[in-house]
Amino acid sequence: MSRLLAVAPVLPGPAHPQSEITDTIGPLLTRSPATRAVLRRLHAASGVETRHTALRLDEYAGLTSFGEANDHFIRVGTDLAEEACRTALDDAGIDPGEVDFLLFTSVTGIAAPSIDAQLVTRLGLRTDVKRLPSFGLGCVAGAAGIARVHDYLTGHPQDVALLVSVELCSLTLQHGDDSMANLVSTGLFGDGATAVVMVGDAHPAGRPPTLPDGATPDPGARGTRAERASAARTPPRGVEVVDTRSRLYPETADHLGWTIRDSGFGIVLSAGLPEVIAAHLAGDVKSLLVEHDLTTEDIGTWVVHAGGPRILDVVRDSLGLDEADLRHSRESLAAVGNLSSSSVLHVLAATLAARDASPSGGAGPHGVLMAFGPGVSAELVLLRRTPSLEG
């Protein structure tokens, strides 16, 4: 077992209305009035109302070099990663020096040494912290990151792990690309980052406090910082990762991903992606739940990657969910767009923060978190609120 102690989403700069973004980048993609009209319709139908961008909107006209864009990725991405990590560690009551494992993921920029290496000095992590940077999982990496950290903590139950996702999708803008895939993606993807603190079930912060009958937790009690955090823990932090599933669907590589160009990352985005998910999702979810004597009716909360309106529709229809089950996903899509690997983590943060919706609410204590990415791949995570920690 492992536990989620804190999820900290962060965003760069102010929110920009979708229409302002459309008007700014339209001339950078095409000179055709007809194509710009198509662009406006696609952006208006994306389910996105506002987005945050790594740079000021007026800076994108001059962003034509892959090298320059990647320099911005390293600069802005490292700052966002540091902010997210500091917030998550503080919320969890964990000192940076306690972190044993650091998993960093992104698909919108590259660096060597990777951003996680820069975080060691910035955050004051131990120099013997185990690091694992990941590139290429794309939108699925937020869910996959939780799953792989869970795998690590299952084998290292006394350890602390930090998952960091940074996605600056706006920096992948391809000037002069008026393909349908690029027109759609430039209205869908946004910029953001997230840090998640997790611990193994033998770590003090992963265990409920042992108190005499009738006693209440005392945040001021003496002990280690982790022990004090355990005593002060609020109910949303008592979330266990119960199980995970990974799926890669054969012969679907041309549905989602990048083509690497001299100018950077060119989007691969197929109109058939929702149909791929529709063909497999219900069976994949069932195979995960049946091993725990559960069905979809037993799941109180669904934490779904905000991949776009059609993706959310497919998830709803394939699993027989109510629109209310996707409320946080729809709201995240509207407010910040699809944040690639950070998207499902932002949805998770919103879910845990809501008083009326958490993995202990609804029909029972279980929740399912899911995301989809290049491959086409899917990652499912079964969550559970511990009864002894329920508020």
Side-chain angles (χ1 to χ4, degrees), residues 3 5 157-158 199-210 227 230-231 233 388-389:
R3 289 187 191 274
L5 294 189
Q158 296 182 339
V199 296
D201 59 9
H203 189 277
R207 299 193 301 264
T210 302
E227 288 165 344
S230 180
R233 188 169 53 249
S388 61
L389 293 179

Side-chain angles (χ1 to χ4, degrees), residues 74-356:
I74 296 170
R75 175 181 58 83
V76 178
T78 305
D79 288 344
L80 286 176
E82 179 183 1
E83 179 185 352
C85 289
R86 289 191 183 281
T87 302
L89 290 168
D90 187 63
D91 289 348
I94 297 291
D95 287 316
E98 297 178 67
V99 175
D100 303 289
F101 179 63
L102 172 59
L103 193 159
F104 172 80
T105 188
S106 181
V107 76
T108 52
I110 55 176
S114 48
I115 283 178
D116 51 286
Q118 308 299 328
L119 294 176
V120 173
T121 300
R122 287 201 182 197
L123 296 173
L125 303 178
R126 301 195 316 268
T127 56
D128 67 345
V129 66
K130 303 177 184 72
R131 297 185 298 111
L132 184 60
S134 167
F135 178 89
L137 288 173
C139 297
V140 81
I146 289 176
R148 300 294 77 80
V149 169
H150 169 71
D151 292 342
Y152 171 84
L153 291 172
T154 299
H156 301 81
Q158 296 182 339
D159 281 7
V160 175
L162 188 58
L163 167 64
V164 186
S165 161
V166 173
E167 300 292 8
L168 303 181
C169 303
S170 70
L171 297 179
T172 68
L173 179 68
Q174 298 294 293
H175 287 241
D177 182 353
D178 61 356
S179 66
M180 185 59 65
N182 200 44
L183 298 182
V184 170
S185 68
T186 54
L188 181 62
F189 291 95
D191 296 351
T194 321
V196 181
V197 177
M198 298 173 61
V199 296
D201 59 9
H203 189 277
R207 299 193 301 264
T210 302
L211 299 171
D213 291 343
T216 58
D218 178 12
R222 299 183 66 182
T224 68
R225 187 175 186 184
E227 288 165 344
R228 294 196 302 273
S230 180
R233 188 169 53 249
T234 57
R237 292 178 181 170
V239 179
E240 291 181 338
V241 178
V242 178
D243 201 357
T244 70
R245 284 293 182 280
S246 302
R247 286 297 308 273
L248 181 65
Y249 306 128
E251 300 181 2
T252 60
D254 58 347
H255 283 283
L256 182 63
W258 293 129
T259 57
I260 309 303
R261 307 169 178 172
D262 291 343
S263 56
F265 300 120
I267 189 70
V268 175
L269 183 61
S270 165
L273 177 61
E275 284 68 35
V276 173
I277 295 171
H280 300 281
L281 181 60
D284 291 342
V285 171
K286 180 179 180 180
S287 70
L288 170 65
L289 298 182
V290 71
E291 293 193 12
H292 300 273
D293 297 321
L294 298 170
T295 68
T296 55
E297 287 74 19
D298 298 312
I299 302 304
T301 298
W302 298 90
V303 183
V304 182
H305 162 58
R310 291 185 64 202
I311 297 297
L312 293 177
D313 289 348
V314 161
V315 171
R316 179 196 61 204
D317 296 343
S318 297
L319 300 177
L321 305 182
D322 294 330
E323 187 59 33
D325 293 319
L326 301 178
R327 175 167 65 96
H328 295 293
S329 298
R330 300 278 191 193
E331 290 175 353
S332 180
L333 181 65
V336 299
N338 178 346
L339 301 179
S340 190
S341 69
S342 272
S343 173
V344 74
L345 302 180
H346 277 240
V347 175
L348 175 62
T351 303
L352 296 180
R355 289 179 295 179
D356 62 343

